[in-house]
């Protein structure tokens, strides 16, 4: 599976940690202390990394909580840039107001 650039954290977890090491979603969900359905939503990209999940991922998988949140933010911003047309928006001139 090729990853998006920047990848969704769930895609990153699946590609970098789970697939190469043959770890099941159910096993990781158990270690994270979340339901398998909650973790599956994250892996599919249907939900994002919350601050709480970032702390869990940091403890169980590694990396800092800030890096998990930054990865989520980078992915969300990439999506927004591809979906929102800001060309029609005009900068506000505060000095002229």
């Amino acid at each position: 599976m090729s990853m998006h650039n920047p990848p969704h954290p769930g895609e990153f977890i699946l590609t970098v940690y789970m697939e190469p090491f043959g770890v099941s979603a159910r096993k990781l969900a158990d270690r994270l202390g979340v339901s398998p359905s909650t973790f599956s939503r994250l892996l599919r990209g249907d939900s994002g990394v919350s601050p709480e999940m970032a702390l869990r991922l940091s403890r169980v998988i590694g990396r800092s909580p800030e890096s998990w949140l930054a990865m989520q933010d980078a992915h969300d911003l990439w999506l927004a840039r591809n979906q929102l047309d800001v060309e029609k928006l005009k900068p506000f001139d505060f000095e002229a107001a």
Side-chain angles (χ1 to χ4, degrees):
M1 165 194 288
S2 67
M3 283 196 278
H4 292 95
N5 188 15
H8 183 277
E11 183 179 15
F12 181 80
I13 292 166
L14 189 62
T15 305
V16 173
Y17 296 105
M18 294 175 63
E19 289 174 348
F21 296 99
V23 177
S24 73
R26 186 171 294 278
K27 188 172 205 164
L28 259 181
D30 184 54
R31 285 288 177 95
L32 290 165
V34 298
S35 71
S37 62
T38 295
F39 191 55
S40 289
R41 283 192 301 275
L42 175 65
L43 293 176
R44 288 192 313 266
D46 293 339
S47 66
V49 172
S50 66
E52 179 184 305
M53 182 59 84
L55 291 169
R56 292 172 186 271
L57 290 169
S58 178
R59 178 70 177 167
V60 174
I61 294 177
R63 305 173 60 93
S64 70
E66 293 84 2
S67 72
W68 289 110
L69 292 171
M71 187 182 300
Q72 184 66 56
D73 283 346
H75 180 75
D76 291 347
L77 184 57
W78 176 78
L79 283 177
R81 280 188 172 137
N82 286 295
Q83 296 172 356
L84 180 64
D85 179 15
V86 295
E87 291 302 315
K88 62 185 172 210
L89 302 176
K90 304 292 182 223
F92 189 86
D93 185 357
F94 286 94
E95 291 181 12

